């Protein structure tokens, strides 16, 4: 039982340290490279590529997330859901 509480507590601490915040989202700018984006919000959870464009999502598609589309290595579109 103690182990369960330790795991739940660690999960809460990690979620409190998330880089997926409204403040960090507002730091993102068009033209930034994926490396520059990752310096602000960390590595993406999922990326897909189609016809020279790359779409990456940070967070979960069902919950809090940031989605960025890159053409070449430059960010071109941004969207977010559930950020506070």
């Amino acid at each position: 039982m103690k182990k369960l509480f330790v795991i739940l507590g660690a999960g809460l601490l990690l979620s409190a340290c998330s880089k997926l915040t409204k403040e960090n989202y507002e730091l993102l700018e068009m033209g930034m490279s994926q490396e520059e984006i990752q310096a602000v919000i960390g590595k993406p959870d999922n990326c897909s590529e189609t016809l020279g464009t790359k779409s990456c999502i940070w967070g979960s598609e069902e919950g809090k997330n940031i989605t960025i589309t890159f053409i070449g290595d430059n960010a071109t579109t941004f969207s977010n859901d559930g950020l506070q």
Side-chain angles (χ1 to χ4, degrees), residues 10-83:
L12 288 173
L13 286 174
L14 288 174
S15 66
C17 298
S18 174
K19 292 185 173 190
L20 295 181
T21 63
K22 190 76 165 171
E23 292 80 17
N24 283 345
Y25 180 77
E26 291 173 357
L27 294 173
L28 306 177
E29 298 178 7
M30 280 220 216
M32 290 177 86
S33 69
Q34 186 170 350
E35 186 175 303
E36 292 170 319
I37 299 283
Q38 288 179 189
V40 177
I41 59 175
K43 292 191 178 209
D45 293 296
N46 188 20
C47 289
S48 60
E49 292 187 56
T50 305
L51 300 173
T53 64
K54 184 180 205 177
S55 180
C56 295
I57 188 166
W58 285 256
S60 69
E61 292 183 40
E62 300 82 29
K64 179 169 67 169
N65 66 61
I66 295 173
T67 303
I68 301 174
T69 302
F70 298 89
I71 295 179
D73 190 38
N74 298 317
T76 57
T77 62
F78 301 86
S79 66
N80 75 81
D81 189 32
L83 298 184

